[in-house]
Amino acid sequence: MLRVLYIEISREPLRESHIQPRPGWTRRQISLTYVFFAPCGEQLVPAPDSEIAFYPTHSVSKLTFPLDAFRLASRLHQERPFHLVVANDPMMLGLVGYCLKQRFNLPLMVKVHTQYFGHFRWVLERPYYPLYYLLIPFLLAQADKVWAISQGVKESLLPWMTGPDKIEVCYTPIYTNFFDFPPRPPGQRFGRQLLCVGFLNRQKGIDTLLQAMRLLADAGKDPSLILAGSGPEEPALIQLAEKLDIRERVTFKGHVPFNLLAPLYRGCDVFVLPSRYEGLGRVLVEAALAGAPIVTTAIETSLEAVLPNESALLVPPDDPAALAAAVGALLDRPERARAMGEKGRQFARQRFDFEKIMDGVAGLWHRAADIRKPLPASPNWLKP
């Protein structure tokens, strides 16, 4: 049985375990242990049949999480050794993984979710991101395997990697059955409801969507928009909606629990994701599984999640007029929108089949665990 230690700062895996346990790890000869961030005093209980062991660090803050995660993971490894460490990003989590690799001579896999080097937009989003920009190449070089979640992400990493053969592409497993619905009935009413799901930061381009909403309203389309998600840009986006005089058309729902997302996807008439950059765009897959027609930006990684002009209309990033025109085209032609939604549903079921991707992830982890390299003596600061 392959024992995998997964370092994660998000609590999303645990939240999702309440909705639908991740079946199949045992039959794939994997024992999966999550070490993840949770504030002091927060009580979190996973589903009993999730086949995953969850260990929250109960850190005082995310600043102390890396050290807490290293100490907790070290104790768990000494109690029962792991065969592989997987860090869920090439930044602070990758640093935790690197320290564990140095301390215990464990193979390290680093997962890369987005195109950090395809542009400089993300570097400007936080004051400390330039530091990450310098840290990421070092951690990728130290990793034994790099897990890219899309071909586009892999391509963006190649100029920065001395060993491109250690980068492997594998999509993240998505619960296709949870979002998969039968085709929409032909007589179902087609309205003006738009939906966008995602973290409210500069990356997602929600400001462009709000400007497009103003243009749609001026054109007499009478749109309404649900924004499902929270993030640092939420106050500025609310202010922008008020400035554009569309506040009554936009519902800021904040964070939506995983089990309540499916009805939102199913109830929308057009799903819109105007991202400036992405790793893959998981919400595009979820929307497609629900049969929603999609309008998104023509960035490289989105092309792996949709069928251009068949399941989705693509527009340039930061172009409110093009975004409004594409959404308006689907609102004006409901039959075309339904056909695109059904095409996307079939495509997503085939490409992102849950069991096939689980097999892919399991194979990736088994290959990474077979790597054994001699390491120099651990620095003093890593020794107990």
Side-chain angles (χ1 to χ4, degrees), residues 234-247:
E234 186 170 353
L237 292 172
I238 292 175
Q239 189 175 34
L240 177 60
E242 292 172 347
K243 180 180 178 180
L244 294 171
D245 195 25
I246 57 168
R247 183 64 184 86

Side-chain angles (χ1 to χ4, degrees), residues 216-239:
L216 287 166
D218 291 342
K221 304 298 184 184
D222 192 29
S224 61
L225 170 66
I226 293 176
L227 287 175
S230 58
E233 290 293 308
E234 186 170 353
L237 292 172
I238 292 175
Q239 189 175 34

Side-chain angles (χ1 to χ4, degrees), residues 239-315:
Q239 189 175 34
L240 177 60
E242 292 172 347
K243 180 180 178 180
L244 294 171
D245 195 25
I246 57 168
R247 183 64 184 86
E248 72 284 354
R249 296 180 179 275
V250 183
T251 301
F252 289 84
K253 294 189 74 69
H255 172 74
V256 177
F258 187 76
N259 59 325
L260 298 181
L261 281 177
L264 288 180
Y265 285 121
R266 181 59 167 164
C268 76
D269 298 301
V270 179
F271 181 81
V272 188
L273 186 68
S275 299
R276 295 181 167 100
Y277 60 94
E278 282 287 351
L280 176 68
R282 171 175 173 160
V283 294
L284 294 174
V285 179
E286 294 173 350
L289 289 167
I294 293 169
V295 175
T296 189
T297 41
I299 54 180
E300 184 179 3
T301 52
S302 293
L303 302 180
E304 298 178 53
V306 300
L307 290 172
N309 298 318
E310 295 185 56
S311 70
L313 299 181
L314 305 182
V315 300

Side-chain angles (χ1 to χ4, degrees), residues 74-141:
S74 297
R75 177 174 63 81
L76 293 172
H77 177 73
Q78 289 167 336
E79 292 173 357
R80 189 180 176 194
F82 296 103
H83 303 111
L84 173 69
V85 177
V86 180
N88 199 47
D89 71 40
M91 295 174 282
M92 295 309 294
L93 303 182
L95 185 60
V96 175
Y98 168 71
C99 292
L100 291 168
K101 171 180 176 174
Q102 291 293 112
R103 176 70 180 84
F104 298 109
N105 193 16
L106 287 168
L108 170 64
M109 169 175 285
V110 174
K111 187 176 182 181
V112 183
H113 292 265
T114 196
Q115 294 176 304
Y116 296 110
F117 302 115
H119 46 73
F120 289 93
R121 290 182 185 272
W122 77 273
V123 181
L124 304 176
E125 290 185 8
R126 294 284 188 281
Y128 50 87
Y129 278 10
L131 177 61
Y132 285 167
Y133 188 80
L134 299 175
L135 181 62
I136 290 172
F138 168 77
L139 292 175
L140 293 179

Side-chain angles (χ1 to χ4, degrees), residues 56-71:
T57 58
H58 296 302
S59 302
V60 174
S61 73
K62 289 187 177 181
L63 292 176
T64 65
F65 169 76
L67 181 57
D68 295 336
F70 174 75
R71 288 172 172 169

Side-chain angles (χ1 to χ4, degrees), residues 1 21-31 49-52 354-355 358-359 362:
M1 183 72 73
R22 296 189 173 193
W25 290 120
T26 301
R27 70 172 180 267
R28 291 176 173 87
Q29 296 300 302
I30 290 175
S31 172
D49 52 349
S50 63
E51 296 187 331
I52 307 174
F354 181 72
E355 295 297 329
M358 286 278 284
D359 286 341

